[in-house]
Amino acid sequence: MSKEKDVFRETARLIISGSIYTLMWLVSLYIMYMTLFLVYKVFSVMLIHISYLSDTSEAWLSKASQMSITLTEEVLSVVTIILVLVKSFKILISYSKHHHIEIKPLVEIAIIALLMEVVFNFWAHSMQINWLFAIFGLGLLVIYATFPYFRKKVKV
């Protein structure tokens, strides 16, 4: 019976390890994709602004400022998504090395994701859900800032 258990455990370990490494590969590809998308967006808007540099009409200035606001929102949204993905990649690396997940990175991702939902997807949810996200995110932030566990340095 113990030989069957060992075979089962080894098979489960191989499946989980393979899944973790596949997920790490997919997350890294998506991080690269989002980074390239961010670079493309910034450079395309810069080229548009440079091409119309001599045009100082009121209509163009209004359109350019609206474009800048939209670009800023998109850039900040993509940067926070990349930040969440990098944190999740670090969690996957930690799990592949130590076969357990620490609470600190999970709380950090939860704080970032909740605040990202409140800031960038405010219109997608009802006001009650936005308040719930905001309160939960601030509660996690207070817990993160006050508990000594989250402040101690972890040697990797």
Side-chain angles (χ1 to χ4, degrees):
M1 186 79 157
S2 68
K3 205 164 214 164
E4 290 173 352
K5 283 184 180 179
D6 289 342
V7 169
F8 177 74
R9 284 186 182 148
E10 186 63 25
T11 305
R13 189 188 67 75
L14 287 173
I15 290 171
I16 290 171
S17 294
S19 300
I20 293 295
Y21 287 118
T22 302
L23 190 58
M24 287 171 60
W25 182 74
L26 290 172
V27 167
S28 65
L29 283 178
Y30 195 66
I31 289 171
M32 289 174 42
Y33 165 74
M34 292 301 284
T35 305
L36 290 174
F37 174 74
L38 182 67
V39 169
Y40 166 75
K41 276 297 228 188
V42 170
F43 279 116
S44 65
V45 171
M46 283 175 50
L47 287 174
I48 291 171
H49 276 75
I50 289 171
S51 66
Y52 287 101
L53 197 59
S54 62
D55 187 10
T56 56
S57 68
E58 189 174 326
W60 166 248
L61 291 177
S62 174
K63 184 178 178 183
S65 49
Q66 181 63 34
M67 236 180 359
S68 297
I69 291 171
T70 304
L71 176 70
T72 303
E73 289 174 352
E74 289 178 6
V75 165
L76 288 175
S77 178
V78 169
V79 166
T80 54
I81 289 170
I82 290 172
L83 182 62
V84 168
L85 288 172
V86 167
K87 285 280 187 191
S88 62
F89 188 77
K90 286 182 179 181
I91 289 172
L92 291 170
I93 288 174
S94 173
Y95 182 80
S96 67
K97 286 181 183 176
H98 309 292
H99 298 290
H100 73 276
I101 298 174
E102 294 183 20
I103 297 296
K104 183 178 179 179
L106 292 176
V107 171
E108 291 172 351
I109 285 179
I111 292 169
I112 294 167
L114 284 169
L115 293 177
M116 186 174 78
E117 277 297 311
V118 170
V119 172
F120 297 113
N121 295 328
F122 185 77
W123 59 89
H125 308 290
S126 68
M127 190 54 116
Q128 292 85 6
I129 297 296
N130 283 327
W131 275 107
L132 183 66
F133 285 164
I135 290 169
F136 191 61
L138 289 174
L140 281 174
L141 189 61
V142 167
I143 290 170
Y144 187 80
T146 57
F147 277 73
Y149 170 79
F150 296 112
R151 288 194 303 262
K152 66 181 176 179
K153 301 289 182 203
V154 178
K155 293 181 182 178
V156 179

